Amino acid sequence: MIRLAKTRTQYNCVVSVVDKWTKKVHRLCPYLDTINRQVLDFDFEKLCSVSLSRINVYACLVCGKYFQGRGTNTHAYTHSVAESHHVFLNLQTLKFYCLPDNYEIVDSSLDDIKYVLNPTFAPKHVGQLDTCDKRSRAIDGTLYLPGIVGLNNIKANDYCNVILQALSNVTPLRDYFLDERNYAKVKRPPGDSVFLLVQRFGELMRKLWNPRNFKAHVSPHEMLQAVVLWSGKKFQFTEQGDPIDFLSWFLNSLHRALNGKKSRHSSIVYKTFMGSMRVKTRKIPPVELDEKQRYSLLCTDEYAEHVSESPFLYLTCDLPPPPLFKDEVMENIIPQVSLYSLLTKFNNESEKEYKTYKENFMKRFEITQLPPYLILYIKRFTKNTFFVEKNPTIVNFPVKNVDFGDILTPEVKAAHKNTSYDLIANIVHDGEPNKGTYRVHVLKQGNSKWYEMQDLHVSDILPQMITLTEAYIQIYKLRTDR
């Protein structure tokens, strides 16, 4: 009797060791064929659909819903028993489990689901993105180009979508955020969680460039939730906003979250977009003074020209005022202006008047340092006391080889090896000032083709058509081929 008990104890020990060993190496599950990849969507906030908790959340791989926990009496456990859905994925640890039996599933056939949740890019793969034009196929058979992917418009976030899509095609910024190791060691002060903005943007970049996505579009829901939170609800996805305001806030917030300082090389944001200019300001004497009084004032230090150095992330171009009258056939004249004439503002010769509530100033701008990627903001909207007006002037610009050297002083031009830029992104506003929509034209560098993206809609477009649009924000890339 004693010998029998001892043998049975030894047998139990062996079984538990074997179970432990097989569980670690390979655990088959009879329910893998119930997984429905068509309904899986990992773009939304990872919180339980019942308790709205973010702690220990699992995705049901049969219906796509999120539930908390996996122990007895948890929402995931209850769902598995009530609906006979048995395969779950922990969204934090990326481990698969079978409920209610509560054992881990180890199977290589599930790696594609893990990759969609958390795409990763090797340095070799990142280096080939600008030379490859291979299309990928989604589960429903739709073909898409990684990087040229539609973004879901939740309600009124098209003004954010165009900025995110344009920035995703800026090579140094994209390459930096595709590799999570570049910013994994960034430390923020205790209690400061603005770094979440960096993580969300990195996740969005990896999803936009994912060559193995289940669907041919991406929802920026998590990214926009971080934007709403860290902008103090200044930017919402339920109300239309201005892309230039969002761009300015977003770039500066990313720079700050990456512990960037004032120097050009302190973050990838400043390294990519930051240029510098010299601003020369002089005060204008009041017009009611006579010539002698004006002359005496101009001799004082207060009315002398003052020079200041100013960094910039984008250049603001002012459009000439549109005509007030219609032409002979009672049609509105749509004026046109050359991009080069707008850029004369920065040639150190043209003066522009700036008015405050009590004083007037004349300013001259001299660009002293051109950035690798130059952002131009064409100021189309003016606000007065009653309403917002839009200037419909068409800007004529070349798509390639825009030479900014013509507006530089000879000394500054001599310090720059290259001064020519190519357009890589063009954001357009259509419609009335308060009710219009935004779309973006992006150059895919792998095949040198242009694409138009408006939320989920992606289509080819000829370069000649881009120049006929009401351009609002443009991103230019410095040429380095000569």
Side-chain angles (χ1 to χ4, degrees), residues 167 246-255 269 273 313 375:
L167 292 179
F246 174 66
L247 176 66
S248 178
W249 172 85
F250 186 62
L251 291 180
N252 282 296
S253 298
L254 276 184
H255 172 72
V269 177
F273 296 112
L313 289 176
I375 302 175

Side-chain angles (χ1 to χ4, degrees), residues 12-26:
N12 286 341
C13 289
V14 171
V15 169
S16 64
V17 169
V18 171
D19 273 353
K20 185 177 180 183
W21 181 78
T22 54
K23 184 176 179 181
K24 190 173 182 182
V25 175
H26 195 74

Side-chain angles (χ1 to χ4, degrees), residues 272-461:
T272 306
F273 296 112
M274 189 177 181
S276 60
M277 66 168 70
R278 206 168 280 136
V279 183
K280 300 174 181 178
T281 310
R282 63 182 179 87
K283 199 172 173 182
I284 304 173
V287 291
E288 62 270 13
L289 299 179
D290 59 37
E291 195 68 32
K292 189 176 180 182
Q293 290 173 316
R294 287 166 61 86
Y295 181 76
S296 61
L297 279 178
L298 288 172
C299 293
T300 62
D301 185 58
E302 183 185 354
Y303 285 84
E305 188 172 71
H306 297 277
V307 181
S308 61
E309 295 288 337
S310 175
F312 66 85
L313 289 176
Y314 62 86
L315 295 175
T316 303
C317 297
D318 303 303
L319 289 172
L324 298 174
F325 305 104
K326 298 180 179 180
D327 62 9
E328 298 82 14
V329 291
M330 299 302 292
E331 292 288 333
N332 282 324
I333 301 169
I334 300 179
Q336 298 188 22
V337 64
S338 164
L339 178 66
Y340 288 108
S341 65
L342 298 184
L343 293 175
T344 56
K345 171 183 176 182
F346 306 100
N347 65 1
N348 195 34
E349 295 175 5
S350 303
E351 283 191 314
K352 182 172 174 60
E353 186 175 356
Y354 289 84
K355 297 181 179 181
T356 63
Y357 68 99
K358 64 175 183 177
E359 293 175 329
N360 295 348
F361 296 90
M362 295 297 285
K363 290 190 177 184
R364 288 188 294 143
F365 302 94
E366 178 192 357
I367 294 177
T368 54
Q369 178 70 49
L370 288 171
Y373 285 79
L374 182 66
I375 302 175
L376 289 186
Y377 159 49
I378 299 168
K379 193 174 181 182
R380 289 199 174 274
F381 301 108
T382 51
K383 296 180 182 178
N384 56 33
T385 313
F386 306 103
F387 50 85
V388 179
E389 287 183 298
K390 179 183 176 183
N391 190 328
T393 302
I394 299 293
V395 179
N396 295 319
F397 56 89
V399 173
K400 284 188 174 182
N401 210 12
V402 183
D403 192 358
F404 284 78
D406 297 340
I407 61 170
L408 301 179
T409 59
E411 302 81 29
V412 175
K413 188 174 181 179
H416 285 76
K417 184 180 178 182
N418 296 298
T419 56
S420 293
Y421 285 79
D422 291 337
L423 185 70
I424 62 164
N426 180 54
I427 295 172
V428 178
H429 179 267
D430 299 311
E432 298 175 24
N434 295 320
K435 300 176 184 175
T437 57
Y438 293 96
R439 55 196 167 102
V440 62
H441 304 123
V442 168
L443 175 67
K444 172 69 173 173
Q445 298 185 53
N447 56 14
S448 298
K449 288 184 179 178
W450 282 90
Y451 295 89
E452 179 177 273
M453 293 188 279
Q454 187 167 18
D455 299 329
L456 294 175
H457 304 287
V458 179
S459 58
D460 299 11
I461 188 171

Side-chain angles (χ1 to χ4, degrees), residues 138-321:
I139 278 189
D140 61 358
T142 308
L143 289 172
Y144 70 94
L145 265 173
I148 308 295
V149 179
L151 280 176
N152 192 25
N153 190 345
I154 299 166
K155 187 175 180 184
N157 56 280
D158 56 326
Y159 75 100
C160 294
N161 287 353
V162 290
I163 294 296
L164 296 172
Q165 283 166 323
L167 292 179
S168 75
N169 282 274
V170 175
T171 301
L173 195 72
R174 177 202 67 198
D175 292 355
Y176 180 86
F177 281 96
L178 284 181
D179 191 346
E180 206 171 359
R181 293 171 298 181
N182 288 331
Y183 48 91
K185 295 181 180 179
V186 175
K187 299 295 182 187
R188 296 293 300 170
D192 181 0
S193 51
V194 72
F195 186 68
L196 185 68
L197 199 67
V198 174
Q199 293 174 312
R200 292 285 181 264
F201 186 58
E203 288 169 9
L204 182 66
M205 287 294 104
R206 293 195 294 278
K207 286 176 180 176
L208 286 172
W209 286 90
N210 183 3
R212 290 187 265 162
N213 209 345
F214 288 165
K215 54 193 190 314
H217 66 273
V218 173
S219 177
H221 192 268
E222 282 192 294
M223 176 78 241
L224 295 176
Q225 289 282 22
V227 166
V228 173
L229 181 63
W230 297 117
S231 68
K233 299 187 178 178
K234 179 183 177 183
F235 301 103
Q236 303 269 12
F237 50 77
T238 54
E239 298 173 14
Q240 184 69 280
D242 193 329
I244 193 64
D245 293 340
F246 174 66
L247 176 66
S248 178
W249 172 85
F250 186 62
L251 291 180
N252 282 296
S253 298
L254 276 184
H255 172 72
R256 193 174 73 253
L258 291 167
N259 290 333
K261 309 297 181 193
K262 289 185 177 181
S263 67
R264 182 188 306 278
H265 298 287
S266 59
S267 82
I268 186 64
V269 177
Y270 275 18
K271 205 181 291 185
T272 306
F273 296 112
M274 189 177 181
S276 60
M277 66 168 70
R278 206 168 280 136
V279 183
K280 300 174 181 178
T281 310
R282 63 182 179 87
K283 199 172 173 182
I284 304 173
V287 291
E288 62 270 13
L289 299 179
D290 59 37
E291 195 68 32
K292 189 176 180 182
Q293 290 173 316
R294 287 166 61 86
Y295 181 76
S296 61
L297 279 178
L298 288 172
C299 293
T300 62
D301 185 58
E302 183 185 354
Y303 285 84
E305 188 172 71
H306 297 277
V307 181
S308 61
E309 295 288 337
S310 175
F312 66 85
L313 289 176
Y314 62 86
L315 295 175
T316 303
C317 297
D318 303 303
L319 289 172

